[in-house]
């Protein structure tokens, strides 16, 4: 988590804590907790100890920040629905006893959390001060972008960060030599004269960063994305550890991950800043490449050196030849898109494919060190539930809600009729390598970026990251996701079948000629002979 927010852990308490009972509306009608019952539990990966979830009990911190009147009763219908869902999942508890003797072994190293998705609410423990605004490169986004930045600076008195490339946008600059531009650009430049003047008045108050150079870790409290799904993927790439809450506005083409509309952004952003928002924790994949014969000298390797471009590999070789000493500007080189443990985090998927080679890919898959199968085909997709509706869905995988802890393994055009997409538990480690007898190497990309080659003997390791992307919901987790399925993918859209009453009405209102045709209908049996109706 970042420095100014946390996710409300509703109905959760440490075993050592005494939690007062909530009223019947807060408890959802569930009785007191039984340690051997089905109340559910989860592990806290920061404290490394088990926290029991008490069904029907609400922690004092959650109760104090829960919506509703001060007398404990629910307020609006939305608040009432939230209070009813302030409980744990009815999931098996790791402390549960099975019969007189059996129980699950205690393991303090577990990092998985099982929590009621509807109870994941955003709360700020201090007012957010810095906001990062990310916009897509499109002239249609300039007006809402300037309106949002102007409102955040003047009305909310927040420190606004933007990408340095925004200041270089020719439509937002007044020093462009229009005589060197096309007639169409000069026309568009003139149309945005008012927008440009408003932006120039704010320019000196903005803080800029450059992708690939500046590290934003622990500097941003809140993120606003203006554009399509790619803006959310870009925001995820910028933060390779803890990610601030992300509020995504739909200004793109598909908008599957952008539930907010810009019409009344002032009211919507204010609600989020006041802590009235639900969250979807979108899990990410932690990917790392291990090269064949790679010498592990961590002191000589900057973050994520195995995922760097060849020019950076040459720089690392230079450092190694000089016993770790370097000089000049490159001495401060770091790749903020790589975490300190030589890995990269992806929100959608990591894709292994055959690239331009005419031969099939031959890829071996290991799950927690155990050989599972080999992929012969165009490649393999390893995706999160968020990415299940992207490339994986196009390749035939099931669409999975982002709150489901899972990893999807989907083949790309497999050379086998029996190879179907599979879903494995979140937290397992997948090791993917090129088969020794493969005719060619493979290419690997991470959320469509950082494309590079996987050679024979190299391996790609993928597991679930403990740093999700907290995506702010417009309504709630269920409504947002199914609305996206219906609007973005037209899921389950078909022509409605008429009911029997409508068919009977149709036949009853027909003409005499139509009724005569029904009288003359014949039914044929399997032998070809006809039977009168």
């Amino acid at each position: 988590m970042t420095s100014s927010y946390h996710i409300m852990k509703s109905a959760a308490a440490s075993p050592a804590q005494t939690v007062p009972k909530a009223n019947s509306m807060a408890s959802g009608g569930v009785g007191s907790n039984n340690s051997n019952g089905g109340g559910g539990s989860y592990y806290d990966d920061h404290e490394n100890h088990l926290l029991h979830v008490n069904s029907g009990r609400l922690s004092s911190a959650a109760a104090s920040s829960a919506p509703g009147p001060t007398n404990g009763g629910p307020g609006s219908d939305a608040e009432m629905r939230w209070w009813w869902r302030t409980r744990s999942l009815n999931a098996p508890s790791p402390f549960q006893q099975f019969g007189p003797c059996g129980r699950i072994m205690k393991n303090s190293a577990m990092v998985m959390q099982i929590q009621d998705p509807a109870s994941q609410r955003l709360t700020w423990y201090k007012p957010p001060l810095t906001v990062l605004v990310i916009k897509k490169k499109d002239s249609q986004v300039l007006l809402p972008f300037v309106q949002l930045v102007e409102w955040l600076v003047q009305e909310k008195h927040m420190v606004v960060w933007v990408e340095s490339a925004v200041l270089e946008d020719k439509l937002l600059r007044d020093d462009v030599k229009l005589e060197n531009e096309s007639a169409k650009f000069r026309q568009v430049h003139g149309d945005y004269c008012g927008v440009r003047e408003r932006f120039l008045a704010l320019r000196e108050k903005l803080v800029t960063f450059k992708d690939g150079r500046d590290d934003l870790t622990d500097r941003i409290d809140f993120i606003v994305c203006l554009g399509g799904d790619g803006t959310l993927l870009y925001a995820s790439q910028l933060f390779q550890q803890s990610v601030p809450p992300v509020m995504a506005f739909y200004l793109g083409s598909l908008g599957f991950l952008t539930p907010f509309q810009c019409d009344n952004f002032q009211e919507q952003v204010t609600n989020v800043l006041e802590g009235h928002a639900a969250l979807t924790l979108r899990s990410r994949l932690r990917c790392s490449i291990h090269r064949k014969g790679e010498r592990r000298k961590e002191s000589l390797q900057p973050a994520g050196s195995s995922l760097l471009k060849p020019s950076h590999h040459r720089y690392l070789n230079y450092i190694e030849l000089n016993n770790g000493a370097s000089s000049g500007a490159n001495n401060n080189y770091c790749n903020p898109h790589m975490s300190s443990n030589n890995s990269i985090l992806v929100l959608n998927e990591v894709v292994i494919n055959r690239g331009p080679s005419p031969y099939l890919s031959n890829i071996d898959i290991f799950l927690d060190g155990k050989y599972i199968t080999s992929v012969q085909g165009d490649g393999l997709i390893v995706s999160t539930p968020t990415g299940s509706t992207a490339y994986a869905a196009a390749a035939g995988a099931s669409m999975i809600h982002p709150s489901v802890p899972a990893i999807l393994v989907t083949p790309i055009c497999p050379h086998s009729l029996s190879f179907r997409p599979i879903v494995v538990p979140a937290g397992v480690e997948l090791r993917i390598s090129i088969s020794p007898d493969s005719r060619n190497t493979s290419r690997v990309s991470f959320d469509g970026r950082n494309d590079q080659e996987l050679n024979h003997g190299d391996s790609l390791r993928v597991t679930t990251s403990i740093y999700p992307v907290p995506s702010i919901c417009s309504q709630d987790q269920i409504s947002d996701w199914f609305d996206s399925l219906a609007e973005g993918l037209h899921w389950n859209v078909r022509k409605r079948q008429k009911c029997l009453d409508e068919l009977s009405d149709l036949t009853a209102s027909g003409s005499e000629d139509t009724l005569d045709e029904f009288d003359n209908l014949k039914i044929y049996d399997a032998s070809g002979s006809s039977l009168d109706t």
Side-chain angles (χ1 to χ4, degrees), residues 105-271:
M105 181 185 302
K106 298 180 183 179
N107 184 1
S108 60
M110 295 180 65
V111 296
M112 289 294 297
Q113 285 192 3
I114 300 177
Q115 187 183 22
D116 184 357
S119 69
Q120 292 174 355
R121 309 286 301 185
L122 173 65
T123 178
W124 309 92
Y125 60 85
K126 65 179 181 179
L129 299 177
T130 59
V131 56
L132 171 63
V133 180
I134 300 175
K135 76 173 189 68
K136 65 178 297 186
K137 296 180 180 180
D138 189 347
S139 60
Q140 302 296 326
V141 185
L142 291 181
L143 178 58
F145 167 74
V146 173
Q147 290 175 339
L148 174 65
V149 171
E150 189 177 53
W151 180 76
L152 290 172
V153 172
Q154 298 177 356
E155 299 294 332
K156 294 299 181 180
H157 308 289
M158 300 186 71
V159 178
V160 179
W161 288 59
V162 297
E163 193 174 5
S164 59
V166 174
L167 304 184
E168 303 300 324
D169 193 330
K170 293 183 179 180
L171 294 178
L172 296 177
R173 294 172 55 185
D174 57 355
D175 57 350
V176 179
K177 297 181 179 179
L178 296 179
E179 61 272 11
N180 298 333
E181 304 294 338
S182 63
K184 183 177 180 179
F185 177 82
R186 289 196 296 268
Q187 179 182 356
V188 176
H189 191 271
D191 294 340
Y192 283 91
C193 178
V195 176
R196 183 167 52 256
E197 291 178 356
R198 295 170 62 179
F199 177 77
L200 292 176
L202 299 169
R203 179 168 178 169
E204 298 301 326
K205 299 180 181 179
L206 303 180
V207 182
T208 62
F209 76 97
K210 186 173 182 180
D211 182 19
R213 182 192 65 188
D214 300 317
D215 188 5
L216 300 179
T217 304
D218 295 331
R219 294 185 177 183
I220 305 298
D221 297 327
F222 180 45
I223 303 176
V224 177
C225 294
L226 303 175
D229 297 342
T231 57
L232 185 59
L233 294 176
Y234 179 65
S236 171
Q237 173 196 329
L238 292 175
F239 296 86
Q240 288 296 299
Q241 292 184 6
S242 177
V243 184
V246 183
M247 187 177 187
F249 286 88
Y250 171 63
L251 287 168
S253 55
L254 181 60
F256 197 89
L257 305 177
T258 53
F260 289 93
Q261 301 293 331
C262 284
D263 299 336
N264 58 338
F265 71 87
Q266 296 91 341
E267 178 183 353
Q268 298 179 90
V269 175
T270 300
N271 288 335

Side-chain angles (χ1 to χ4, degrees), residues 425-453:
V428 301
E429 183 182 73
L430 287 168
R431 180 163 62 88
I432 302 165
S433 60
I434 309 301
S435 299
D437 55 352
S438 178
R439 292 187 176 185
N440 61 308
T441 61
S442 295
R443 306 292 301 181
V444 59
S445 61
F446 308 89
D447 275 345
R449 296 171 176 261
N450 300 316
D451 180 82
Q452 55 195 282
E453 190 173 17

Side-chain angles (χ1 to χ4, degrees), residues 219-533:
R219 294 185 177 183
I220 305 298
D221 297 327
F222 180 45
I223 303 176
V224 177
C225 294
L226 303 175
D229 297 342
T231 57
L232 185 59
L233 294 176
Y234 179 65
S236 171
Q237 173 196 329
L238 292 175
F239 296 86
Q240 288 296 299
Q241 292 184 6
S242 177
V243 184
V246 183
M247 187 177 187
F249 286 88
Y250 171 63
L251 287 168
S253 55
L254 181 60
F256 197 89
L257 305 177
T258 53
F260 289 93
Q261 301 293 331
C262 284
D263 299 336
N264 58 338
F265 71 87
Q266 296 91 341
E267 178 183 353
Q268 298 179 90
V269 175
T270 300
N271 288 335
V272 172
L273 294 178
E274 292 177 353
H276 306 309
L279 285 178
T280 296
L281 297 183
R282 300 184 179 274
S283 62
R284 294 192 289 179
L285 298 176
R286 178 167 57 86
C287 311
S288 60
I289 294 179
H290 301 266
R291 301 292 183 182
K292 181 181 179 180
E294 181 183 47
R295 285 186 294 175
R296 297 185 174 277
K297 293 187 176 181
E298 301 296 336
S299 61
L300 301 180
Q301 294 184 357
S305 61
S306 64
L307 297 180
L308 301 179
K309 298 299 181 182
S311 59
H312 296 152
H313 280 296
R314 289 194 294 269
Y315 169 64
L316 296 179
N317 293 335
Y318 169 80
I319 296 179
E320 185 171 347
L321 291 174
N322 289 273
N323 297 322
S326 61
S327 59
N330 285 337
N331 189 35
N332 295 324
Y333 170 79
C334 69
N335 190 342
H337 295 168
M338 308 299 170
S339 60
S340 59
N341 56 357
N342 193 29
S343 61
I344 184 172
L345 305 187
V346 299
L347 178 59
N348 262 359
E349 74 276 306
V350 52
V351 177
I352 304 96
N353 59 74
R354 61 189 177 97
S357 173
Y359 301 112
L360 294 175
S361 293
N362 200 338
I363 304 169
D364 295 333
I365 304 177
F366 299 82
L367 184 65
D368 283 341
K370 179 180 177 59
Y371 171 76
I372 300 299
T373 188
S374 294
V375 182
Q376 294 189 66
D378 283 354
L380 184 71
I381 306 171
V382 181
S383 62
T384 64
T386 297
S388 67
T389 51
Y391 195 178
S398 297
M399 295 182 292
I400 299 180
H401 191 278
S403 294
V404 177
I407 299 176
L408 287 80
V409 180
T410 307
I412 306 174
C413 298
H415 208 252
S416 171
L417 296 177
S418 60
F419 195 166
R420 307 299 301 166
I422 60 173
V423 180
V424 298
V428 301
E429 183 182 73
L430 287 168
R431 180 163 62 88
I432 302 165
S433 60
I434 309 301
S435 299
D437 55 352
S438 178
R439 292 187 176 185
N440 61 308
T441 61
S442 295
R443 306 292 301 181
V444 59
S445 61
F446 308 89
D447 275 345
R449 296 171 176 261
N450 300 316
D451 180 82
Q452 55 195 282
E453 190 173 17
L454 271 182
N455 298 301
H456 291 80
D458 297 343
S459 64
L460 171 69
R461 299 187 181 183
V462 182
T463 188
T464 305
S465 170
I466 63 172
Y467 300 108
V469 175
S471 178
I472 299 176
C473 300
S474 174
Q475 304 176 64
D476 54 73
Q477 289 190 4
I478 303 302
S479 300
D480 283 10
W481 193 65
F482 278 99
D483 287 349
S484 298
L485 290 182
E487 297 176 8
L489 301 181
H490 291 242
W491 177 70
N492 201 28
V493 175
R494 64 180 298 274
K495 187 176 181 180
R496 179 177 171 271
Q497 185 182 32
K498 295 180 179 179
C499 64
L500 293 178
D501 292 339
E502 291 177 333
L503 291 175
S504 62
D505 294 341
L506 179 63
T507 56
S509 62
S511 63
E512 293 181 359
D513 294 338
T514 304
L515 295 177
D516 292 338
E517 291 178 0
F518 274 98
D519 292 338
N520 296 329
L521 284 177
K522 296 181 180 295
I523 299 178
Y524 293 87
D525 60 11
S527 62
S529 60
S530 64
L531 300 173
D532 292 337
T533 58

